[in-house]
Amino acid sequence: MIVIFTDDQGYADVGVYGAEGFETPSLDKMAEEGLRFTSFYAVNAACTPSRAALLTGLYPERVGLPEVLFPRATIGLNPEETTVAELLKTQGYRTAAVGKWHLGDHPAFLPTNHGFDSYFGIPYSNDMSPDSLNNPRHNAGQHPGLPLVRDTTIIEREPDQSTLTARYTNEAIRFIEANHDRPFFLYLAHSFPHVPLWASDRFRGSTSRGLYGDVIAEIDASVGEILATLYRLRVDEETIVFFTSDNGPWLVMGNHGGSAGPYREGKATTFEGGHRVPAIVRWPRRIPAGAVSDELVTAMDITPTVARLAGVDAKQDFDGFDVSDLLRRPDSQKSPYDHFFYFRSGELRGVRQGRWKLHLPHTFASMDGGEEGKDGIPGRYNYREFGPALFDLLNDPGESRDVAGQHPDVVQRLTQLAERGRTELGDALTGSTGSDVRPPGRVGQPWAPQLEDE
């Protein structure tokens, strides 16, 4: 089993989803041979909470990680939480995490303490660096040198980021080669296309979209190499491969950000552009080739689905669902979701039920009236007040027409659902702490090597 997770790749940043200025032949072929989702949601529109949801099958608010973590954090994913890797270990799987982690940079929180046999990557975002080439912001100096970690050892500081995608890919292939004759689980979380963008010499200048397109082209080639490895080792038909992104595009980065296509806004918002992301699943002979599903599925579903497919008798409850039947029969199976909550920084900002989406009153960072950045330098958001507002996603997926006045019964029903959500999961907007939330893991001091002067 393989999960490939990109960073800030927007809905329209894959060829079959409408990419412009670059091609993604490997991902397009993966879609031709598998299932493509058009209503797949990242659970949060930011890095840390999105990853917590994917790896636990739970809302990040439930596991105490509603916001992005920074270097030297003294919190992380609680070791008492159960990850998909830990579930698969009970069935004899070998497990590896490669790439961006972002669930705590202290060794107590790194992948090898969460069910992964090995880890190789950067423990947080690639712009959390003191190097002005990687972080042009005024706060760059507060960060330690960007660490490249193997298991729990820093092996390099400020690695050449133009080599990261290739190094991650090679590490992933080595793991597959070493474990193809037994059950394995690979979590490959690319650092890109999160800014700063870096591409290898082979791909730089290869697309008309500029550096952003070049970066996606290299990630696409990485997917192709992974799939070719499975075919070469004759485990292609036994291996299910998921591809998706952690949230929508970072629009304030302008030409170094992606595209949400027909959807409104992007990363850091609870509009569809922040949550709806590309998602492709391939499993020859088990998932019908060339299938497309518009059913609501989220990244929280990956853990319960993978656990079911591996024969795990999971005792804990998930917020996500086992969607293995939907994968096998996408034409006849419906979404298991009655409703979905949209959170941002612990704030409950919206709820969806079927075709209806209610935005609750909140402030958000909009690109409407803002200024786009250029060449890695961020632009400026326009902070706006919004809601309550009701949208019919079936007829208005771009969230342009508020129909709350025409459907007061729907507003009332979704408002009641939202109250249930904040009662259980909390809500920073109303000061609700939540009746069923758990604390993150905590350590007394940041990881000592992170404090060393470089």
Side-chain angles (χ1 to χ4, degrees):
M1 298 181 180
I2 300 175
V3 174
I4 302 173
F5 206 42
T6 57
D7 196 328
D8 293 356
Q9 186 169 2
Y11 182 89
D13 291 333
V14 175
V16 290
Y17 286 88
E20 297 181 354
F22 56 91
E23 298 178 348
T24 58
S26 299
L27 287 168
D28 293 355
K29 183 178 180 183
M30 187 175 166
E32 290 172 7
E33 297 174 343
L35 168 62
R36 175 169 65 94
F37 286 102
T38 55
S39 291
F40 188 96
Y41 279 7
V43 180
N44 195 284
C47 305
T48 295
S50 180
R51 290 154 205 278
L54 183 150
L55 291 172
T56 66
L58 300 166
Y59 280 106
E61 289 69 26
R62 195 180 299 283
V63 299
L65 293 174
E67 187 54 283
V68 172
L69 297 179
F70 285 83
R72 301 189 178 106
T74 55
I75 68 170
L77 182 62
N78 197 316
E80 294 187 7
E81 300 293 348
T82 302
T83 68
V84 61
E86 289 170 308
L87 292 173
L88 295 177
K89 290 288 286 182
T90 67
Q91 299 301 105
Y93 277 65
R94 293 288 293 175
T95 58
V98 178
K100 177 177 175 177
W101 178 241
H102 217 167
L103 293 172
D105 63 351
H106 191 281
F109 308 130
L110 289 176
T112 50
N113 282 313
H114 282 293
F116 290 97
D117 296 313
S118 63
Y119 173 56
F120 176 79
I122 293 175
Y124 36 71
S125 295
N126 63 326
D127 65 338
M128 295 178 179
S129 161
D131 188 334
S132 61
L133 288 176
N134 295 324
N135 185 357
R137 299 176 187 82
H138 63 86
N139 68 344
Q142 73 185 26
H143 298 313
L146 192 71
L148 181 66
V149 176
R150 183 171 293 283
D151 297 334
T152 58
T153 300
I154 297 175
I155 60 173
E156 291 179 33
R157 291 283 192 177
E158 297 297 337
D160 179 354
Q161 292 201 37
S162 70
T163 69
L164 278 184
T165 299
R167 293 179 75 176
Y168 290 171
T169 304
N170 292 336
E171 185 78 13
I173 289 172
R174 282 193 293 269
F175 172 77
I176 296 169
E177 290 173 337
N179 295 283
H180 72 278
D181 57 351
R182 61 182 296 176
F184 69 85
F185 174 67
L186 168 66
Y187 173 53
L188 172 56
H190 284 288
S191 290
F192 303 120
H194 192 288
V195 173
L197 299 179
W198 292 90
S200 67
D201 291 343
R202 175 185 167 195
F203 289 91
R204 193 173 181 94
S206 65
T207 72
S208 61
R209 173 64 169 78
L211 187 54
Y212 189 88
D214 302 344
V215 167
I216 298 295
E218 186 161 16
I219 290 173
D220 181 77
S222 170
V223 173
E225 291 182 55
I226 299 292
L227 296 178
T229 299
L230 298 177
Y231 184 81
R232 171 170 57 84
L233 297 173
R234 300 183 180 180
V235 293
D236 177 65
E237 293 187 1
E238 290 91 58
T239 307
I240 184 169
V241 182
F242 296 83
F243 174 91
T244 190
S245 173
D246 70 338
N247 49 246
W250 204 356
L251 298 177
V252 77
M253 289 297 177
N255 66 332
H256 279 202
S259 170
Y263 301 111
R264 184 171 175 177
E265 300 291 351
K267 175 179 177 173
T269 78
T270 47
F271 288 92
E272 293 296 284
H275 283 258
R276 204 178 295 214
V277 289
I280 303 169
V281 189
R282 180 185 183 274
W283 197 12
R285 299 185 183 276
R286 291 162 174 93
I287 293 176
V292 179
S293 174
D294 195 46
E295 294 298 315
L296 173 60
V297 177
T298 83
M300 285 189 297
D301 303 331
I302 290 177
T303 286
T305 300
V306 165
R308 163 77 181 281
L309 293 174
V312 175
D313 184 15
K315 303 298 183 185
Q316 76 271 30
D317 292 328
F318 297 107
D319 291 317
F321 297 90
D322 165 23
V323 294
S324 55
D325 289 341
L326 194 155
L327 297 182
R328 294 186 179 102
R329 299 186 298 279
D331 290 338
S332 61
Q333 296 295 306
K334 297 298 182 182
S335 171
Y337 282 87
D338 174 73
H339 57 272
F340 173 80
F341 296 121
Y342 299 78
F343 280 92
R344 166 66 178 156
S345 299
E347 299 178 352
L348 179 56
R349 295 186 178 182
V351 57
R352 174 179 174 177
Q353 186 176 53
R355 68 195 291 175
W356 302 108
K357 178 178 180 181
L358 177 67
H359 282 268
L360 304 166
H362 66 275
T363 301
F364 75 99
S366 177
M367 288 309 299
D368 183 9
E371 297 177 2
E372 289 189 351
K374 184 177 181 181
D375 298 340
I377 306 298
R380 180 185 58 81
Y381 287 116
N382 177 27
Y383 288 87
R384 300 179 58 190
E385 301 290 331
F386 192 75
L390 180 71
F391 296 102
D392 176 1
L393 295 180
L394 182 62
N395 293 309
D396 180 26
E399 299 171 279
S400 62
R401 298 183 299 276
D402 178 9
V403 293
Q406 294 97 295
H407 300 279
D409 56 329
V410 177
V411 173
Q412 181 180 14
R413 185 174 75 244
L414 268 60
T415 299
Q416 291 172 346
L417 277 176
E419 184 57 35
R420 284 169 47 190
R422 65 171 57 98
T423 298
E424 181 178 342
L425 295 170
D427 178 15
L429 285 170
T430 61
S432 175
T433 57
S435 62
D436 193 9
V437 297
R438 303 190 284 267
R442 293 187 182 277
V443 292
Q445 296 291 331
W447 189 12
Q450 295 280 43
L451 301 178
E452 296 174 357
D453 291 331
E454 299 300 317

